[in-house]
């Protein structure tokens, strides 16, 4: 079944990197007051990623969204979210493919379709049929309204949300890309909102925190959020990702995984 090949394709990458990083990187103290949320200005770049946009809106990444490299992004993710570098190393390497510069990228670059950016997102429209960069409340309403009757989201609700979002994209987007690559990346992003806004071991995250991250691209400090004390690492992220995939009842829409390799669209 798909889970076996998923494990051999992406699981190996994640497992190898977790083996290579057994001791968690220490997290520095943060002067949160020195990092107030500010809306981006008209010339500032933002991305399809609520996690990175929030880092820029709080000045943990350059507020203009430019000149990013692997180390500034990995440092900011560790400092603010306690996400261990091993979790994001594949993402930052892929991000460099989206840029014309060999060692830096912008928050605008990473919207490049089918490098990291994919269809059936949780809060953005599909590339072929709309705006794949900016938050869209209609799209987000599936996640916002999930797990009714409870105050938190979890891996089961996250999987159900992905199933509904994928069905919507399959119904409306004739250009949909939905392969093993996408199910792994999309479920990894779901695991990140659960782990970063909630508990990376149980995968439960307060709804209010998740909604503030998506809707305002703001850290919900005023609402009581604090950085996870448990390091968010490859082991707990892979475990949440697999539970989410199982709960999403996923099937491929056909075709092989595609990686867009350059901003001009070279791919295979
Ligand atoms: C710092 C921790 C991070 C968190 C908490 C995070 C969280 C998320 C979440 C929840 C989504 C899903 C958005 C949606 O489906 O509407 C997402 C999407 C995305 N993220 Fe991140 N992310 C992080 C780091 C990164 C890094 C390091 C990169 C690349 C440099 C990246 C690039 C992207 C991109 C391109 C998307 C769009 C994928 C799509 O089309 O759905 N993210 N991220
Ligand atoms: C990444 O960017 C930071 C800030 O601009 C810079 O200090 C650092 O030297 C860069 N690192 C690499 C590896 O290029
Ligand atoms: C959609 O798919 C068609 C047929 O493969 C292709 O010609 C077209 O360029 C695609 N459009 C987008 C926006 O990807
Ligand atoms: C948001 O997505 C919906 C489809 O679900 C679409 O009809 C609407 O035009 C989008 N809104 C914006 C501002 O792009
Ligand atoms: C899961 O997917 C299969 C095959 O697409 C479908 O027959 C089944 O009804 C789905 N189950 C749920 C709970 O959605």
């Amino acid at each position: 079944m798909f889970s076996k090949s998923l494990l051999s394709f992406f699981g190996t990458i994640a497992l190898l990197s977790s083996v290579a990083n057994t001791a968690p990187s220490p997290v520095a103290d943060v002067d949160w007051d020195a990092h107030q949320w500010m809306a981006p200005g008209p010339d500032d770049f933002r991305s399809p990623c609520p996690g990175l946009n929030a880092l820029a809106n709080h000045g943990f990444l350059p507020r203009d969204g430019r000149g990013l490299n692997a180390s500034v992004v990995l440092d900011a993710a560790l400092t603010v979210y306690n996400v261990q570098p091993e979790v994001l190393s594949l993402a930052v390497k892929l991000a460099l493919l989206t840029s014309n510069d060999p060692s830096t990228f912008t928050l605008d670059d990473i919207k490049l379709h089918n490098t990291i950016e994919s269809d059936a997102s949780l809060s953005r429209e599909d590339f072929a049929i709309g705006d794949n960069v900016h938050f869209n409340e209609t799209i987000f309403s599936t996640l916002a309204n999930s797990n009714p009757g409870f105050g938190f989201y979890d891996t089961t609700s996250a999987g159900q949300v992905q199933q509904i979002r994928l069905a919507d994209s399959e119904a409306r987007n004739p250009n949909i890309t939905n392969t093993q690559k996408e199910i792994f990346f999309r479920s990894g992003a779901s695991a990140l909102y659960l782990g970063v806004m909630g508990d990376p071991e149980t995968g439960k995250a307060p709804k209010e925190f998740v909604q503030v991250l998506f809707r305002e691209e703001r850290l919900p400090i005023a609402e009581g959020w604090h950085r996870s004390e448990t390091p968010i690492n490859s082991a707990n992220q892979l475990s949440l990702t697999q539970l989410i995939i199982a709960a999403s009842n996923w099937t491929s829409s056909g075709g092989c995984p595609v990686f867009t390799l350059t901003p001009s669209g070279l791919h295979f």
Side-chain angles (χ1 to χ4, degrees):
M1 265 306 284
F2 76 89
S3 57
K4 250 186 197 159
S5 39
L6 266 180
L7 270 178
S8 59
F9 185 22
F10 290 108
T12 312
I13 296 169
L15 287 170
L16 284 176
S17 49
S18 72
V19 167
N21 295 276
T22 42
S25 303
V27 236
D29 286 339
V30 176
D31 181 358
W32 300 99
D33 288 340
H35 286 273
Q36 297 295 320
W37 183 90
M38 281 171 51
D43 298 325
D44 296 336
F45 285 150
R46 289 296 179 265
S47 75
C49 176
L52 295 180
N53 291 353
L55 293 178
N57 290 341
H58 284 271
F60 289 104
L61 290 175
R63 290 185 186 269
D64 68 2
R66 290 167 168 83
L68 306 177
N69 62 31
S71 40
V72 298
V73 172
L74 295 177
D75 284 354
L78 178 65
T79 302
V80 175
Y81 297 128
N82 203 2
V83 175
Q84 300 292 302
E86 70 204 32
V87 175
L88 299 174
S89 61
L90 178 60
V92 295
K93 290 172 191 172
L94 289 174
L96 288 169
L97 298 179
T98 69
S99 165
N100 281 312
D101 186 280
S103 56
T104 68
F105 58 91
T106 72
L107 288 181
D108 184 63
D109 290 331
I110 63 174
K111 70 184 178 194
L112 187 68
H113 187 50
N114 285 342
T115 305
I116 308 170
E117 196 283 321
S118 61
D119 291 329
S121 302
L122 303 170
S123 65
R124 271 70 173 165
E125 188 55 284
D126 287 1
F127 170 74
I129 56 175
D131 179 347
N132 67 334
V133 178
H134 298 98
F135 176 81
N136 180 315
E137 181 68 41
T138 307
I139 303 279
F140 182 64
S141 64
T142 302
L143 169 46
N145 298 329
S146 66
N147 214 20
F150 296 92
F152 57 86
Y153 303 121
D154 61 14
T155 55
T156 306
S157 69
Q160 290 165 346
V161 168
Q162 288 188 184
Q163 183 173 6
I164 296 168
R165 288 292 314 115
L166 180 57
D168 177 52
S169 286
E170 283 181 316
R172 294 189 300 114
N173 181 4
N175 286 63
I176 189 168
T177 306
N178 169 43
T179 71
Q180 288 181 1
K181 178 195 170 196
E182 284 73 36
I183 186 60
F184 189 78
F185 281 25
R186 292 167 57 230
S187 304
S190 293
L192 273 174
Y193 77 69
L194 293 175
V196 158
M197 287 295 124
D199 182 330
E201 298 288 347
T202 65
K204 285 185 168 44
K207 288 182 172 178
E208 186 182 24
F209 296 172
V210 173
Q211 290 174 15
V212 167
L213 181 74
F214 273 91
R215 289 198 173 113
E216 301 174 51
E217 303 188 326
R218 177 169 69 74
L219 300 171
I221 295 165
E223 288 80 4
W225 173 84
H226 57 82
R227 176 177 68 192
S228 172
E229 279 164 29
T230 306
I232 295 168
N233 59 30
S234 293
N236 54 40
Q237 282 296 287
L238 191 60
S239 155
L240 296 183
T241 301
Q242 286 171 335
L243 291 171
I244 294 164
I245 292 173
S248 75
N249 197 35
W250 177 80
T251 50
S252 172
S253 307
C256 297
V258 174
F259 283 89
T260 306
L261 299 174
T262 64
S264 60
L266 176 69
H267 66 270
F268 66 80

